[in-house]
Every structure is written in C-alpha cells, then in structure tokens.
Amino acid sequence: MRTSEIRKKFLDYFAAEGHTIVDSSSLVPHGDPTLMFTNAGMVQFKHVFLGNESRPYRTATTSQKCVRAGGKHNDLENVGHTARHHTFFEMLGNFSFGDYFKHDAIRYAWQFLTGELKLDPARLFITVFEEDDEAYDIWTKEVGIPADRIARIGAKDNFWSMGDTGPCGPCSEIFYDHGADVWGGPPGTAEEDGDRYIEIWNLVFMQYDRDEDGTLTPLPHPSVDTGMGLERVAAVMQGVHNNYDIDLFARLIDAAGALTGVRMGDDPVSDVSLRVLADHLRSVSFLLADGVLPSNEGRGFVLRRILRRACRHGRLLGMYEAFIYKLVDALVAEMGDHFAELKESQGNIEQVIRIEEERFIKTLDKGLKLVEQAAASAGKGGTIPGETLFALYDTFGFPTDLTADILKGTDISLDMDGFERCMEEQRTRARAAWGGSGESALPKALFELREHHGPTEFLGYDTLSSEGVIT
Ligand code: ATP
Ligand code: MG
Ligand code: MG
Ligand code: MG
C-alpha cells in the first residue's frame, strides 16, 4: 500500500466513524508565537481542548504536517541514524473534544490496525501509564492483549500535559515489533532505545485539569488526542524496517541518486547522506511553502541550518554545485497532490533553495578545511575554541550544529561558552553600528513567499510551557 493510500485510508476510516476531516494546519503555529513549529496534530486544536474555542464538530481527523527540528522536540540529530525519525513527517490523528473517551479511542486504534490494515496482532505491543488501570483493563480484558505484550510505564513517556497547568492525562502507546533480526527490546526494558520495537501510535487521554499547586481535577468532558506517524505505518505496511525505504523516500532518494551518481546501498556512510538529503529536502520545502524564510534567527535560522546540513551532505556525495533545488520537482510529484501549497510555491521554493545553496557553497570548502585544521590541532579528546567556532559561523556560515555534525563520532568537543561570548561581543558591536535592516539584499522570491503568508513571528523559548505536544 502506497503512503498516500494509507493516509487516505486513515482519514476515510475515521470519517466513516463520524469524524470531520480537517486539513493540516501550517507548520507555523497560528496564534502561538512561543511554539517554534507545529510538531503534533493537536497543535491546531489546542484552544478547542482548552475550551476557549468551539468548532462545528466534536470529533475530527487529520494528517498533520509536523517539524521536530527545534524547541523541546528536536529530532534533527536522529535523522539518518535511526530508522524512524524525520525532521518533517506527517502525523495521522483522531480527536475527540469531550465526545468519546478511552474505550472508543482504544477500539478505533485496534480496529484500524488489525481490521483495516490487517496487521498481525502478535506483532503489536502496548504500553499504558502505570497508574491507569482503566486503560490496562480495556486492553487486556476487552481487546484481549496477553499480559506479556503490555507494559505499565512511568510518567516520563506515558503521561502527557499541555503545559505546567491545564489539560493532562495518561497515554497509551502502540509499538510494532519488526522482528528479532533488528536490535532492540520492548518498551520498559534496557534495550528499548533500539529500533526493533517502533512506536507507531500514541493515544492521549486528556482526563485532568492541573492547577498551579499540581492538583489534578477530573475534567467534566475528557478528550482524546492521538498521533500516528504516517511514514512509520507505511514502513510496516510495505514490509520494510527503515522509514527511509518506503515508496515516498525511495523516489526522493532515487532522484538524488540520479543527480549524484550515488545509490542507496553503495556504502553505509553515503546511505546516511542520502537519507539526510531526502529528509531535509522535505522539511526545507514545506517550511518555505508555509512562509518561513531563511534568516539568522528564530524559525528562519532553523530552516537555514537544516539546508546547510543538507548542502554538506551533498558535498559528501561529491556535489560541488547547487543541486538540492532540482530535487523539489520529485517532492512535488510525490506530495503536491495532497499538499497544494507545495505545488503552488514550487518555483519560489526552488529559487530560494538555489540562492541559499549557491551562497553557502562559496564558503563551504574553506570552512570544511578550517574544521579539519581545528580538529587536528585540538587533537584526540581536545576542544575547538570558541573563537574558531565563531569564525566558522561568521565568516564561513557554519552554524555550530553543523560543525558538531561534522565532528560527530570523534571525541572532540566544542567550547560553546566561548562561542556565546564571541556572539555577544558581535551583537554589541552590531548594535553600535546598526544601519538598517539589510533586507534590501534579500531576493525577490523571498518577498513573494512572505507576501503570500504574512511575516512569521517567533518570540523564543522563554515561555515554552505552552509547547504541549504528545511525547
Ligand atoms: P519516539 O519515542 O519514537 O521519538 P515520540 O514518543 O517522540 O516518538 P509522539 O510525540 O508520541 O512521538 O508522536 C506521536 C507519533 O508520531 C509517534 O508515535 C510516531 O509514530 C510519530 N513520530 C514522532 N516523532 C517522529 C519523527 N521524528 N519522525 C517520524 N515520526 C515521528
Ligand atoms: Mg509517544
Ligand atoms: Mg516515544
Ligand atoms: Mg521522540
């Protein structure tokens, strides 16, 4: 079953059960300047759950565009290294706003997985919050999950809250066992970080209201929020272990292979670069389509950092010229039918990526040489000084996470405090010499994208309590 068919099957299933199909919201959270990017299906419904907003439906289903590359949920470092993480992914979800609760949420999930998708129940593994006897009983007594395929887990992974106060409640997660030839153990064991048991679906039961003292009061109308990774289910359905082997990614990776001459399976190191490229192509293109523009701060800086990491992986694959922008076409062919915004902005997306690539390529080689020299003089177990990190950032356009990514696997560390001091000094100098916003240097395509969407605002991480996503 193709990824696009699974998406449709999910939405159709919940629509047939009376849910309203709602479009994915933008990756830029509307009306929430404290959240970096939309990172879960519930984000667009936050105020409905809080009771501040009403909608003409009590149950809904979505396939939500998510980015987890900044803020509390950051999967950037996992990309290319685990089988299951992307910076951009789609989260399938069904939601009840004070309508159905645990029984139906569990019944729907089980019915969809084993009835619609026909997954083998013996491959599924369940977790519940350790104190949630109600969910434990529904799974074991009503669904018939044997005791050795369900685990009670603590609050870190199985208790969700929207913020320090407000709606919260236990979760129940569904894992798929990819089989004994993959390393890893079931949740709650020492090997749980492996990729054998992969979490596919998280059911959140919003059951309580937490007040400032931490007291939990039962909500009069409890709600349900669920999230299932589309690419992870696609991997299961397509009989592959790694998300990057599903149809959608295979085509993006083929397109990259056609340009670079490097194919999946040639070498484990270049496989990582191909996966990173395909992943980053998606997050960069979708962020641009939602009006985020490359910049040196906030959301635009995350976008720029992702793109520069992609450029460096392109360089590892032997590419000396801009080429990532040429992959947008393959992405639009794969995803443009469902996400019209991608198709509409294709020209601008290509142009902005190309300009960014061309600009960065000018300094990439020199920067890489400097990293190499700095690593050599730091020596084994040594540290790269803050001044060097700053020179890499300021002169060669290497954000520190890029430098760290290049040094991954070595035991060389980065003097981040020193880097921050250099940044602060530069800010002071810049304030003294400020002479305009410099925006006139931005290419026209950037303005067209921004005009289309309005500026995006991001206030920083100081008030992160509202970043309530399911974990
Ligand atoms: P994991 O423990 O594997 O990192 P999570 O617990 O952080 O996942 P949730 O916050 O519960 O994930 O999100 C709901 C679902 O979204 C997950 O069960 C998973 O299927 C999917 N998902 C989460 N993060 C990613 C990601 N980075 N890439 C792809 N799918 C993801
Ligand atoms: Mg989870
Ligand atoms: Mg998890
Ligand atoms: Mg996670």
Side-chain angles (χ1 to χ4, degrees), residues 93 208 239 290 293 319 333 371 404-405 409 426 447:
Y208 306 105
D290 278 346
L293 302 177
M319 300 303 281
V371 176
D405 193 42
Q426 191 212 38
F447 286 109

Side-chain angles (χ1 to χ4, degrees), residues 53-319:
E53 190 190 330
S54 69
R55 299 269 173 115
Y57 42 79
R58 284 165 62 85
T59 60
T61 182
T62 62
S63 185
Q64 174 66 48
K65 299 180 279 188
C66 294
V67 165
R68 291 191 175 184
K72 198 166 80 176
H73 282 272
N74 187 349
D75 287 331
L76 189 54
E77 307 303 326
N78 289 328
V79 170
H81 301 284
T82 72
R84 66 187 199 277
H85 288 109
H86 309 296
T87 54
F88 172 93
F89 64 99
E90 278 180 69
M91 195 186 283
L92 301 166
N94 56 292
F95 306 90
S96 154
F97 310 110
D99 193 81
Y100 61 84
F101 199 44
K102 278 182 207 178
H103 273 94
D104 290 319
I106 291 175
R107 184 173 58 79
Y108 285 142
W110 190 254
Q111 169 60 24
F112 183 73
L113 293 177
T114 61
E116 298 289 316
L117 299 186
K118 307 211 164 26
L119 298 189
D120 176 3
R123 291 254 187 176
L124 299 173
F125 191 97
I126 310 295
T127 66
V128 295
F129 177 52
E130 56 196 359
E131 292 166 28
D132 192 359
D133 294 334
E134 189 186 1
Y136 187 87
D137 286 348
I138 296 172
W139 279 118
T140 52
K141 293 181 186 148
E142 291 176 29
V143 179
I145 301 292
D148 64 347
R149 299 207 67 81
I150 182 163
R152 291 171 178 268
I153 303 283
K156 189 178 127 310
D157 280 322
N158 283 57
F159 196 88
W160 175 90
S161 39
M162 199 178 279
D164 295 336
T165 60
C168 57
C171 317
S172 180
E173 297 185 317
I174 305 173
F175 288 73
Y176 184 82
D177 177 1
H178 279 269
D181 48 344
V182 186
W183 182 80
T189 66
E191 294 87 40
E192 68 175 5
D193 283 340
D195 265 339
R196 173 172 168 181
Y197 289 81
I198 289 190
E199 177 188 328
I200 53 174
W201 206 342
N202 192 355
L203 317 178
V204 179
F205 310 122
M206 285 185 209
Q207 193 165 356
Y208 306 105
D209 186 16
R210 180 155 44 199
D211 70 12
E212 251 119 58
D213 320 319
T215 311
L216 301 181
T217 314
L219 288 168
H221 304 289
S223 292
V224 171
D225 154 29
T226 86
M228 172 154 72
L230 173 61
E231 299 79 0
R232 294 188 190 184
V233 210
V236 169
M237 291 302 288
Q238 294 172 17
V240 294
H241 169 241
N242 196 305
N243 276 16
Y244 290 90
D245 293 333
I246 65 175
D247 58 338
L248 192 161
F249 275 104
R251 273 186 280 276
L252 299 181
I253 288 173
D254 279 352
L259 292 176
T260 61
V262 182
R263 299 284 166 181
M264 203 65 183
D266 284 356
D267 162 57
V269 176
S270 55
D271 285 357
V272 171
S273 293
L274 286 170
R275 288 178 182 135
V276 170
L277 263 178
D279 173 84
H280 292 7
L281 169 71
R282 293 210 308 166
S283 45
V284 164
S285 302
F286 273 95
L287 285 171
L288 286 168
D290 278 346
V292 180
L293 302 177
S295 89
N296 282 337
E297 58 189 21
R299 298 188 173 110
F301 189 46
V302 177
L303 167 62
R304 176 166 276 166
R305 280 166 40 213
I306 298 173
L307 186 50
R308 291 190 177 174
R309 289 170 80 119
C311 289
R312 186 237 159 192
H313 280 280
R315 187 70 185 70
L316 289 176
L317 296 173
M319 300 303 281

